[in-house]
Amino acid sequence: MSGYGGQPPSGWQDPYDPYGQQQPGSGWQDPYAQQDPYGQGYGYGFGPPGVPTQSASNGSAIGALICNIVLTMTCCGVLAVPGIVMSAIAMGRVTSDPESARNLTMWSWIIFAANIVIVVVLVIVYFAFLTSQGSYQTTNY
C-alpha cells in the first residue's frame, strides 16, 4: 500500500467493497438503492442533512396534561381547564398535524405557567393582607 491518495497494489481488493474497486463517483450504481422521487440525490428513506427523521412525540403534551390536572386537583387551577383541553387536543393531533400539536402544547405550557404566576401572586397578596390586618388590632379593656 502506498499511503494516502496512492493506488493500491495490483490484485488488491477492498474487503468492504463487494463489487471490486468500484467507487460511487465513477458510474457505480448501488443495486439496493431505490430511486429518489424528488431528484435531490438522496437515497430512498434518507433526507438532506439536518432534517429530523424521528416521528413526532406527544411526551410534552402528556406532561402538560398531567401538570394541568394536578393544578385542577389541588384547587389552584384558575386557568387549568383550558390547559387540559389544549393538551388533550394536542395529543390527538400529534400524528395528523404535528405543527398544530406543537403550538397547542406550547400554549398549554404557557397557560400552566400563567396559572402558577397567578396563584403565587394571590398567595402573596393574601399573606400581605393578613399581616396588615394583624398590626392594626385594638383591644378593649
Side-chain angles (χ1 to χ4, degrees):
M1 195 90 187
S2 62
Y4 295 109
Q7 296 295 324
S10 64
W12 182 81
Q13 186 170 359
D14 185 5
Y16 300 108
D17 186 8
Y19 304 107
Q21 294 180 5
Q22 297 175 355
Q23 299 299 319
S26 62
W28 177 77
Q29 294 293 322
D30 185 4
Y32 300 108
Q34 297 185 11
Q35 294 297 324
D36 182 16
Y38 303 108
Q40 298 293 322
Y42 305 108
Y44 182 77
F46 299 102
V51 174
T53 58
Q54 192 175 29
S55 64
S57 171
N58 60 357
S60 183
I62 291 172
L65 179 68
I66 291 171
C67 289
N68 282 311
I69 287 174
V70 167
L71 278 179
T72 303
M73 299 304 264
T74 58
C75 298
C76 297
V78 179
L79 299 173
V81 174
I84 291 171
V85 171
M86 283 190 176
S87 56
I89 293 172
M91 286 174 52
R93 290 188 183 176
V94 166
T95 56
S96 63
D97 190 8
E99 185 64 31
S100 173
R102 278 191 287 275
N103 287 336
L104 286 168
T105 303
M106 177 189 66
W107 280 107
S108 64
W109 280 113
I110 289 171
I111 288 173
F112 174 74
N115 196 13
I116 294 292
V117 168
I118 289 171
V119 168
V120 167
V121 167
L122 287 176
V123 167
I124 290 172
V125 167
Y126 178 73
F127 281 117
F129 180 73
L130 285 181
T131 57
S132 68
Q133 291 295 324
S135 63
Y136 293 113
Q137 290 181 352
T138 59
T139 58
N140 293 332
Y141 291 108

